[in-house]
Amino acid sequence: MLEERLELGFILSNGKCYFKEDSEKGHIEVAVRILNLPENKSLKSRYEKSVWGDMNNPVDFLVFEEGALKVGIKYGTERVVVFYPYMISRKTDEAIAEYRSKHYRVCEVYPPHGFERFFHR
């Protein structure tokens, strides 16, 4: 199901996968690309109306409001999948199981409060 390019990106709740392209440095650039794709026009509209849009924080928007999985390599060699457990869809649940089988560490995250709102930056 998943592509072999598993190093850094997102899997949206509808199962669509978006991974880092050569010109992108990290999750923020991938998230911005996702929001700017023509097929994601309604997603961008929701982002612009959300609290995360006011903070220019597309990564947290995708994870906490859209239920996306954040896939990435954390601290060098550790492979990690991050998700908000209250927003899991059937497709993201299947992806989590597949990443577990590939020995990724699976981490639940929760919306930050106060000064911690920028922890994905």
Side-chain angles (χ1 to χ4, degrees):
M1 175 181 123
L2 300 175
E3 299 178 24
E4 286 304 311
R5 288 180 42 199
L6 302 175
E7 70 278 357
L8 189 143
F10 295 92
I11 299 175
L12 301 186
S13 60
N14 63 7
K16 290 199 77 162
C17 301
Y18 298 93
F19 294 102
K20 182 176 108 41
E21 294 180 349
D22 292 336
S23 63
E24 297 167 332
K25 293 181 181 179
H27 285 100
I28 294 172
E29 291 87 359
V30 177
V32 169
R33 176 170 47 92
I34 292 168
L35 294 174
N36 287 321
L37 290 171
E39 64 265 24
N40 294 333
K41 193 174 185 177
S42 65
L43 184 67
K44 185 172 184 174
S45 176
R46 289 193 304 273
Y47 169 68
E48 290 170 346
K49 294 173 186 171
S50 79
V51 64
W52 306 109
D54 289 341
M55 295 187 305
N56 194 28
N57 195 338
V59 173
D60 286 345
F61 168 76
L62 290 175
V63 172
F64 296 121
E65 284 195 29
E66 295 301 316
L69 301 182
K70 180 182 171 193
V71 180
I73 297 174
K74 187 174 182 178
Y75 306 123
T77 60
E78 186 178 14
R79 299 179 301 176
V80 179
V81 174
V82 174
F83 68 98
Y84 181 40
Y86 299 117
M87 295 295 292
I88 294 298
S89 70
R90 176 179 288 199
K91 293 191 183 236
T92 53
D93 192 44
E94 291 170 358
I96 289 169
E98 188 167 342
Y99 278 107
R100 270 197 177 108
S101 75
K102 295 182 184 288
H103 307 289
Y104 273 64
R105 185 164 64 96
V106 177
C107 301
E108 294 180 5
V109 293
Y110 297 88
H113 303 287
F115 293 110
E116 299 166 350
R117 293 193 101 148
F118 298 99
F119 78 99
H120 279 294
R121 290 188 169 218

